[in-house]
Amino acid sequence: MSGIGRASALIGAGTIVSRLTGFLRGIVLVAVVGSVNSRAGDAFGTANQLPNNIYAIISTGLLTAVIVPQIVRAASHEDGGRAFISKVFTLGTVVLLGATALATLGAPWLVQLYAPGYTPEQLALTTAFAYWCLPQILFYGLYALVGEALNARRIYGPYTWAPIVNNVVSITGFLLFLALFGGPITDVDPWTPAMIAILAGTATFGIVVQAFILFFFWRRTGLHVRPDFGWRGVGLGQIGRLAGWTFLMVVAGQLAGLLQSRVLSDASGEGPAAAASGYAWLLFMLPYSIIVLSIGTPYFTQLSEHAHAGRDDDVRADIGRSIRTLGVFIVIATFALAAAAVPASRIFTNTASEAVQAAWVLLAFLVGLIPLAVLFVIQRTFYAYNDTRTPFFFTLLQCTIVVATALGSRALVDAQVVGLEYLAALVAIGQSVASIVQVLLATWLLERRIGGLRTGSWVLSLGRFVLAAIPAAVVGWLVFLWSGGPGGWTTSSQLLGAVGAAVIGVVAIAIYVGFLALLRAPELSVATGLVRRLLPGRR
């Protein structure tokens, strides 16, 4: 196997194991704080999401746009990049320390900003969690800095596998919490400083370990880093040119997410809210991350090469081929997961009735999964032409719709048209509608730019996949009903929920493949060939 093949296999295996351990982490966390109707679960979910939100802005504005590319380029310097990387690491660390300190000091304000609908007691608990969680910003940044330096020296494994150690640490700490205090503890009142410290401290300690484990591999880079505050020439002046539109796009997304969080805070304790929405999104992103990112990325590499060479005809062919290939997989993933929505939701809930409530949120998100897969190809085509300005504008429209639909959902609840228990599902369907509009606009803009996309061809293919997936989903749903439905064995425990979802998924896929064969879909042979190459022992 070639060096690239070994690296790809190592990264692929690490990604799969990371996803699986991440799911196990979520299951244990639900046993600690619950998800649906859990004020404590929502408090922890909000607090633990804050460092991710803040880091996303820092990462895009400084790390991704300036520091990471400079680390890669520095490898060609006469000294191997030692002096330059010392400047870069010093700059990155100072920025991360400052952002972490400011965010931690502003924890009460941030919590109030993101969750105004929480009760005073719940706000206090969320703030206490946030004080423990916000230092994660620093260690997320260190993980990125060190990891990218390792990758630049072709040391790929540690960066991919370190998150697994984080998950193991978190699982261990959460199990310790269960052993000491039991669970799930969903109310706010029982929480003591010791309980808060163990739960939130464990979450942060996992990120600390994830970052520092990379330092054990630093010697292999051959670099000796020392503090260097002479930042001239590092590339700060390039922030506007390199990151401008992308940074604004991330900020717009974060503002839309902030509004969603504020709306969802009203539903805490009354139905699915922050925690349940987070787990539904985790389930939603599983097929996206496995299918779109793993299969779509090689297509994007080829598409980028053709774009840079000015071969627009090849780019158009790449777009259609990649959408059809992704579509074969993502369409059945959408419909199979929809059929298994209740058992799948049971994985991250503590009762069957909670699973039914959470399933509506998952179904609402799934409406946007196929459009999101298409958007992956369309948006990255703009990137291949070095155009980040256009994606900003169609993303800005998407964010505007997200905000409008979230506010509209809140208005429907206030008017008593729907109950609070459906607020999270309404917000999720708004997210999906926004994605649909976004991909329609993006496709139209790309058609105007390069023309000849032959949209009808790949839309027809997607329609054929949907035609085959509908009976597959129906049969999958019947399997769920024959297994007892919401009160059956597939919702009797988290483990059986996972087993039930897998059984439904396998049955749905089998029916889907059969119908594609009957329809003589040419993409089926491409998909089966791709699956064979991905199997162990295949090339």
Side-chain angles (χ1 to χ4, degrees), residues 256 260 281 360-361 363-368 397-409 412 422-438:
Q260 286 181 318
W281 184 257
W360 287 109
V361 185
L363 287 169
F365 277 133
L366 286 173
V367 172
L397 174 63
Q398 181 247 0
C399 293
T400 302
I401 296 173
V402 166
V403 170
T405 53
L407 292 175
S409 300
L412 289 174
Y422 294 108
L423 179 58
L426 287 175
V427 171
I429 198 69
Q431 178 90 31
S432 294
V433 169
S435 295
I436 293 171
V437 174
Q438 180 185 21

Side-chain angles (χ1 to χ4, degrees), residues 111-124:
V111 168
Q112 180 67 45
L113 180 66
Y114 274 84
Y118 287 178
T119 65
E121 295 79 13
Q122 192 177 12
L123 283 172

Side-chain angles (χ1 to χ4, degrees), residues 433-482:
V433 169
S435 295
I436 293 171
V437 174
Q438 180 185 21
V439 75
L440 290 174
L441 177 60
T443 303
W444 178 72
L445 290 171
L446 186 60
E447 175 72 36
R448 287 189 61 189
R449 177 176 180 123
I450 64 175
L453 291 183
R454 296 186 286 273
T455 306
S457 173
W458 50 261
V459 168
L460 184 64
S461 295
L462 291 176
R464 185 164 52 241
F465 304 152
V466 170
L467 188 63
I470 290 174
V474 170
V475 174
W477 176 252
L478 290 175
V479 170
F480 171 62
L481 294 179
W482 290 334

Side-chain angles (χ1 to χ4, degrees), residues 286-288 290-296 299 321-337 369-370 373 461-462 465-466 469 505 509 512-513 516 523-534:
L286 180 64
Y288 182 84
I290 293 176
I291 296 170
V292 176
L293 297 183
S294 62
I295 297 175
Y299 280 100
R321 185 165 50 250
S322 57
I323 289 176
R324 284 191 290 269
T325 302
L326 289 176
V328 175
F329 296 98
I330 207 69
V331 168
I332 184 55
T334 301
F335 281 80
L337 189 52
L369 183 53
I370 297 172
S461 295
L462 291 176
F465 304 152
V466 170
I509 291 172
Y512 177 71
V513 171
L516 285 182
E523 297 85 1
L524 181 59
S525 60
V526 176
T528 53
L530 183 58
V531 170
R532 289 193 191 101
R533 289 196 298 272
L534 292 175

Side-chain angles (χ1 to χ4, degrees), residues 171-506:
I171 291 168
T172 303
F174 298 161
L175 289 175
L176 174 63
F177 183 100
L178 288 173
L180 293 174
F181 307 109
I185 304 175
T186 59
D187 293 330
V188 173
D189 295 337
W191 286 83
T192 65
M195 296 163 69
I196 294 168
I198 292 177
L199 180 62
T202 292
T204 297
F205 184 62
I207 305 299
V208 173
V209 175
Q210 173 182 289
F212 277 95
I213 198 170
L214 297 185
F215 285 97
F216 288 101
F217 301 89
W218 184 259
R219 183 175 297 178
R220 292 167 60 182
T221 67
L223 296 172
H224 301 283
V225 176
R226 59 179 180 78
D228 188 341
F229 295 90
W231 297 336
R232 181 179 296 274
V234 167
L236 289 176
Q238 301 181 57
I239 289 179
R241 182 169 60 85
L242 294 175
W245 294 111
T246 304
F247 175 70
L248 290 174
M249 188 163 59
V250 171
V251 170
Q254 288 298 320
L255 290 174
L258 167 62
L259 193 282
Q260 286 181 318
S261 178
R262 290 174 64 86
V263 170
L264 285 175
S265 67
D266 292 325
S268 184
E270 305 293 335
S277 293
Y279 290 122
W281 184 257
L282 182 65
L283 288 166
F284 168 84
M285 286 301 294
L286 180 64
Y288 182 84
S289 59
I290 293 176
I291 296 170
V292 176
L293 297 183
S294 62
I295 297 175
T297 299
Y299 280 100
F300 175 55
T301 302
Q302 178 178 277
L303 189 151
S304 297
E305 293 172 352
H306 290 159
H308 292 158
R311 295 161 58 181
D312 289 350
D313 287 339
D314 289 330
V315 170
R316 297 183 191 101
D318 291 336
I319 292 170
R321 185 165 50 250
S322 57
I323 289 176
R324 284 191 290 269
T325 302
L326 289 176
V328 175
F329 296 98
I330 207 69
V331 168
I332 184 55
T334 301
F335 281 80
L337 189 52
V342 176
S345 298
R346 180 65 178 90
I347 298 172
F348 297 112
T349 52
N350 287 313
T351 66
S353 61
E354 290 180 358
V356 173
Q357 287 183 284
W360 287 109
V361 185
L362 175 58
L363 287 169
F365 277 133
L366 286 173
V367 172
L369 183 53
I370 297 172
L372 195 63
V374 175
L375 181 67
F376 173 88
V377 179
I378 301 298
Q379 186 168 356
R380 277 155 182 76
T381 303
F382 281 105
Y383 292 159
Y385 284 100
N386 296 317
D387 181 0
T388 56
R389 180 176 178 270
T390 305
F392 164 73
F393 285 109
F394 60 68
T395 300
L396 183 62
L397 174 63
Q398 181 247 0
C399 293
T400 302
I401 296 173
V402 166
V403 170
T405 53
L407 292 175
S409 300
R410 177 69 253 189
L412 289 174
V413 171
D414 289 340
Q416 298 183 342
V417 176
V418 295
L420 267 176
E421 65 271 22
Y422 294 108
L423 179 58
L426 287 175
V427 171
I429 198 69
Q431 178 90 31
S432 294
V433 169
S435 295
I436 293 171
V437 174
Q438 180 185 21
V439 75
L440 290 174
L441 177 60
T443 303
W444 178 72
L445 290 171
L446 186 60
E447 175 72 36
R448 287 189 61 189
R449 177 176 180 123
I450 64 175
L453 291 183
R454 296 186 286 273
T455 306
S457 173
W458 50 261
V459 168
L460 184 64
S461 295
L462 291 176
R464 185 164 52 241
F465 304 152
V466 170
L467 188 63
I470 290 174
V474 170
V475 174
W477 176 252
L478 290 175
V479 170
F480 171 62
L481 294 179
W482 290 334
S483 301
W489 66 266
T490 62
T491 59
S492 58
S493 70
Q494 292 172 310
L495 176 60
L496 290 178
V499 172
V503 170
I504 293 169
V506 169

